[in-house]
Amino acid sequence: MSSFRALVLEEKDGKVSSALQTVDETALPPGDVTVAVSHSTLNYKDGLILAGLGRIVRKYPHVPGIDFVGTVERSDSPAFKPGDKVILTGWRVGEWYWGGYAQKARVKSEWLVPLPAGMSAQQAMAIGTAGFTSMLAVLALEKHGLKPEGGEVLVTGAAGGVGGVAVAILARLGYTVVASTGRAETHDYLRQLGATTIIDRAATVAPPGKPLVAERWAGCVDTVGGATLAGVLPAMKYGASVAACGNAGGNDVPASVIPFLLRGVNLLGIDSAMKPMPERREAWARLLRDLPLGKLDAMTSVIGLGDLANESQRILKGQVRGRVVVDLNR
Ligand SMILES: NC(=O)c1ccc[n+]([C@@H]2O[C@H](COP(=O)([O-])OP(=O)(O)OC[C@H]3O[C@@H](n4cnc5c(N)ncnc54)[C@H](OP(=O)(O)O)[C@@H]3O)[C@@H](O)[C@H]2O)c1
């Protein structure tokens, strides 16, 4: 296949538009590994990129898609050989570099992780950047002392991609998981993922002028940021940690420092894009062990490249439930 299908973004007069195109292999960027991409995903950041928001893309025309899984076609690296199944998340792929919304990609071998044995290509992308980030958040909380006997763990934005995978992992590990959501229609879904209690997202926002409220959360995976993150901090238990991994509710956090000073609360930043390789391998191994793949299947919908324009608008409006896999051969 010397030509293949790709979703290409163009910019004209400051407006970004997307079109399905047939692209020749000569258009691929430099790199030592060429991959036949089978699946990518739709993450919140992909939604921003497809809408031309956030100044994430450096130059157009651009192939978006911040993650992918596929089979190595050609490799100039001893680390990979043709036929190997590989995963890519992050490293600014789909942002600064050619991404996963094309049937082929060419990347640096240092960016690739082998697909874990026992995980299908579709499952790897049902996890994708979002689920990988959820695992990094749980690992960070564990490294800061979180244990199942510590009490309730809050997940905000629980019906989204990062949130849903975090709920499923924490429940499998024996935690008492409280899911915060703004969508009443997702309650059954969240219970199936393992949440024991579900609260409305408005309840996580602390009353104004109250830097501390009763201690409740032993840990928190926050995918929302903004006022939600500010509202969670006053209710953290003594010495507990919040893994801050998202900004679906805004970048500005109108918070008091008092929870840090009087309760020793920890705010842990989670970045998945530039995470070093040893921690990537650890996270994928833990996902294979700790994420129930049956639950993952239940939270996944599958679309084709042609559906992305519509689905990307839905993810920006907070209307997507769980994870969206993009099947490049659909
Ligand atoms: N740090 C990293 O490396 C990294 C990696 C991946 C993703 N992220 C970030 O993590 C966040 C979640 O990503 P995702 O792919 O899971 O997106 P998603 O599927 O759209 O989930 C986001 C969820 O946030 C909640 N939400 C949306 N708008 C909100 C608002 N205005 N106020 C309060 N809650 C709101 C919704 O949950 P409910 O419907 O349950 O209320 C929504 O489902 C994004 O900000 C994304 O950029 C960061």
Side-chain angles (χ1 to χ4, degrees), residues 63-291:
V63 175
I66 65 167
D67 45 23
F68 65 75
V69 64
T71 306
V72 172
E73 258 190 16
R74 191 194 146 148
S75 172
D76 297 325
S77 156
F80 296 100
K81 59 180 187 324
D84 286 350
K85 306 270 187 212
V86 288
I87 301 172
L88 185 142
T89 65
W91 302 115
R92 306 290 172 231
V93 165
E95 303 179 34
W96 301 354
Y97 308 115
W98 179 292
Y101 293 165
Q103 290 175 311
K104 280 195 193 193
R106 187 172 293 142
V107 293
K108 293 185 183 179
S109 51
E110 308 90 274
W111 293 346
L112 294 167
V113 174
L115 177 70
M119 189 182 279
S120 71
Q122 182 170 312
Q123 284 167 335
M125 279 299 102
I127 296 169
T129 298
F132 174 62
T133 303
S134 318
M135 192 72 244
L136 293 176
V138 173
L139 285 167
L141 291 175
E142 285 178 346
K143 283 171 187 161
H144 283 78
L146 185 66
K147 295 212 163 47
E149 55 274 23
E152 293 175 308
V153 178
L154 177 67
V155 177
T156 66
V162 179
V165 177
V167 170
I169 293 170
L170 287 163
R172 161 64 76 90
L173 290 171
Y175 288 92
T176 307
V177 185
V178 178
S180 161
T181 182
R183 288 183 276 173
E185 69 275 18
T186 64
H187 288 196
D188 286 345
Y189 160 77
L190 290 168
R191 278 200 190 88
Q192 280 158 24
L193 291 184
T196 46
T197 309
I198 297 166
I199 59 174
D200 188 87
R201 67 162 77 136
T204 53
V205 179
K210 284 227 170 194
L212 295 175
V213 296
E215 294 184 31
R216 179 164 184 190
W217 312 121
C220 172
V221 176
D222 173 51
T223 76
V224 173
T228 297
L229 174 54
V232 163
L233 292 169
M236 298 306 295
K237 286 190 173 185
Y238 190 89
S241 304
V242 181
C245 48
N247 59 352
N251 292 330
D252 297 328
V253 183
S256 162
V257 294
I258 295 299
F260 306 121
L261 309 186
L262 297 191
R263 288 198 184 147
V265 169
N266 305 301
L267 186 55
L268 313 176
I270 306 298
D271 168 59
S272 65
M274 306 307 288
K275 189 57 81 182
M277 195 47 80
E279 286 153 272
R280 285 176 186 264
R281 287 175 183 268
E282 180 188 10
W284 281 103
R286 284 288 305 270
L287 281 159
L288 186 65
R289 196 191 84 180
D290 297 333
L291 175 61

